[in-house]
Amino acid sequence: MADLSIHFCDIKFCNPFILSTSICSNSTEMLGRAFDLGWGGAVIRTTSLDLANRKLNSPIISGYYSEEGKLIAVQRIDDVQQHIDAVQGEIKILKRAYPDKVIIANIEVNLNENIEGLIRRLETAGTDIIECSLNTFRLNGIDYVQAICRMIQRIREVSKSIPVIIKIPPLFTDIPYAAQSIKNSGANGITAINPIKSLIGIDIDNFIPYPNVNGSSVFGELSGYAIKPIALRCVGEIAQTVDISIGAAGGISKWQDAVEFILVGAKSLQVCSEVMKSGYGIIRDLIEGMKQYLDQKGFTNLEQLVGKSLPYIKRTSHDFQDSEFQVSCTINKHQCIKCGACYISCRDNGFQAIELDMDKLPVINSRRCRGCNLCSTICPVKDCIEIKKFVKKK
Ligand SMILES: Cc1cc2nc3c(=O)[nH]c(=O)nc-3n(C[C@H](O)[C@H](O)[C@H](O)COP(=O)(O)O)c2cc1C
Ligand code: SF4
Ligand code: SF4
């Protein structure tokens, strides 16, 4: 079967799947269980030197659900940290017991903390990589790129050799600029993305946003399946423009998601929300699914797959303007349940290209159809509207 080992920041991972920094990477006992099941590494819960007076909000976590009740995203309103005294000991134990697993320590971009002391202690403990996150709960109104670059320089003053990766939020308007600045400052890699600032919802009876923390709430950070398209974009955009190791985080819930991130250039894959939902055991499906996929596609190792989709992604939508072709759609009348959704959508949002016949079956007027794909997007029956044939633009 295909080899899933991969090099990220010049370090060999037995497979690309690692636990993200969060409550799923909380203790030696938990990480030991995760490694035994097959995880390739872990980003340990955020380490800090100063946890004085830190009391966590309660509750911390809320869910965002599809109409069918499926959990598609998770919001947290506080960060969970651990003191360096505890983390240092845990890293030593884990590195001794699991020398082949990659241990990544996570620290915050915090210009006030004694970063130098923290880095020295993490390096001495045997940390393989340092990951720095931007904490948008606490950093407000500052130049994030400047803050990150200053942080990298301070780490480099302590250690020239320890690999440093920066976990970036998708808030930068110019991701390639941020990525290039991070590389120029001396970082070895980037994790994309940090969760996205959010307000998960509001109780419309009492006007209080969720989660209700004793009568009020606060803006939070969103993770999980719903943020995957944003994370995919960020990974792809960095891979297209900057030669740096890229790790993906955000919305990986099954092996197919993982394959997509590898295809846009990621070499390590962090998972959190799906573990919160289904536990460490999902690693079996992730590994098995990815191996079978590689075998089917004729790849002998994972490295061969990295970035394979990048040549097919144009940098801006303007690059498409010369395209001479558009798709056309056909309706499979045997599958149609005559709900009329495509007719209404095309009439009120599209190009009035769908009519209903006497039996309420939709009929496409090919002269009016612009191939926008709205009808197939909203159709509740899978594959009922097929969008595939390419026709010359009118
Ligand atoms: C409860 C919880 C705590 C988290 N704490 C941190 C943190 O302290 N620092 C950080 O950079 N990311 C933190 N994250 C974000 C995760 O590391 C990860 O980047 C994010 O959840 C996206 O991955 P996912 O979509 O697989 O969940 C946290 C996420 C959750 C759900
Ligand atoms: S592809 Fe767009 S224009 Fe064509 S029928 Fe569907 S919704 Fe209408
Ligand atoms: S949305 Fe789909 S199922 Fe509903 S009428 Fe149109 S083609 Fe038929």
Side-chain angles (χ1 to χ4, degrees), residues 11 21 40 64 66 68 75 137 186 193 207 309 324 353:
I11 292 177
T21 182
Y64 188 52
S66 69
E68 297 76 37
Q75 179 189 269
F137 290 130
I193 54 177
F207 317 138
S309 290
E324 288 190 3

Side-chain angles (χ1 to χ4, degrees), residues 20-23 46 61 76 79-80 106 133 167 193-195 223-224 249-251 271-273 276:
S20 264
T21 182
S22 75
I23 44 181
T46 302
I61 293 166
R76 82 188 145 103
D79 52 344
V80 192
N106 179 279
S133 296
K167 190 172 182 187
I193 54 177
N194 233 29
S223 313
V271 186
C272 172
S273 298
M276 288 167 70

Side-chain angles (χ1 to χ4, degrees), residues 19-25 43-47 60-61 74-81 106-108 131-135 137 167 191-195 221-228 248-253 270-276:
L19 295 165
S20 264
T21 182
S22 75
I23 44 181
C24 71
S25 58
V43 188
I44 295 190
R45 196 169 119 179
T46 302
T47 310
I60 299 177
I61 293 166
V74 172
Q75 179 189 269
R76 82 188 145 103
I77 57 161
D78 208 343
D79 52 344
V80 192
Q81 302 197 349
N106 179 279
I107 61 174
E108 273 180 12
E131 181 187 72
C132 307
S133 296
L134 261 185
N135 186 331
F137 290 130
K167 190 172 182 187
T191 305
I193 54 177
N194 233 29
E221 293 204 325
L222 199 69
S223 313
Y225 193 62
I227 72 167
K228 187 188 113 185
I252 297 173
S253 70
Q270 297 192 13
V271 186
C272 172
S273 298
E274 196 56 30
V275 170
M276 288 167 70

Side-chain angles (χ1 to χ4, degrees), residues 21-88:
T21 182
S22 75
I23 44 181
C24 71
S25 58
N26 204 16
S27 69
T28 319
E29 183 275 326
M30 289 170 73
L31 291 175
R33 271 192 290 122
F35 291 159
D36 288 339
L37 285 168
W39 290 88
V43 188
I44 295 190
R45 196 169 119 179
T46 302
T47 310
S48 178
L49 274 173
D50 177 20
L51 294 180
N53 304 321
R54 284 282 291 131
K55 280 194 188 143
L56 288 178
N57 286 311
S58 173
I60 299 177
I61 293 166
S62 321
Y64 188 52
Y65 301 89
S66 69
E67 275 182 16
E68 297 76 37
K70 201 172 163 222
L71 180 67
I72 53 170
V74 172
Q75 179 189 269
R76 82 188 145 103
I77 57 161
D78 208 343
D79 52 344
V80 192
Q81 302 197 349
Q82 215 166 5
H83 194 271
I84 180 67
D85 290 347
V87 174
Q88 205 176 5

Side-chain angles (χ1 to χ4, degrees), residues 331 336-343 362 375 378-381 384-385:
I331 292 175
C336 176
I337 56 169
K338 302 183 189 174
C339 69
C342 58
Y343 164 72
C375 52
I378 55 94
C379 176
V381 183
C384 178
I385 301 183

Side-chain angles (χ1 to χ4, degrees), residues 28 54 111 159 161 166 173 233 255 310:
T28 319
R54 284 282 291 131
L111 299 177
S159 171
S161 56
I166 304 295
T173 42
R233 186 274 293 184
W255 67 263
L310 292 174

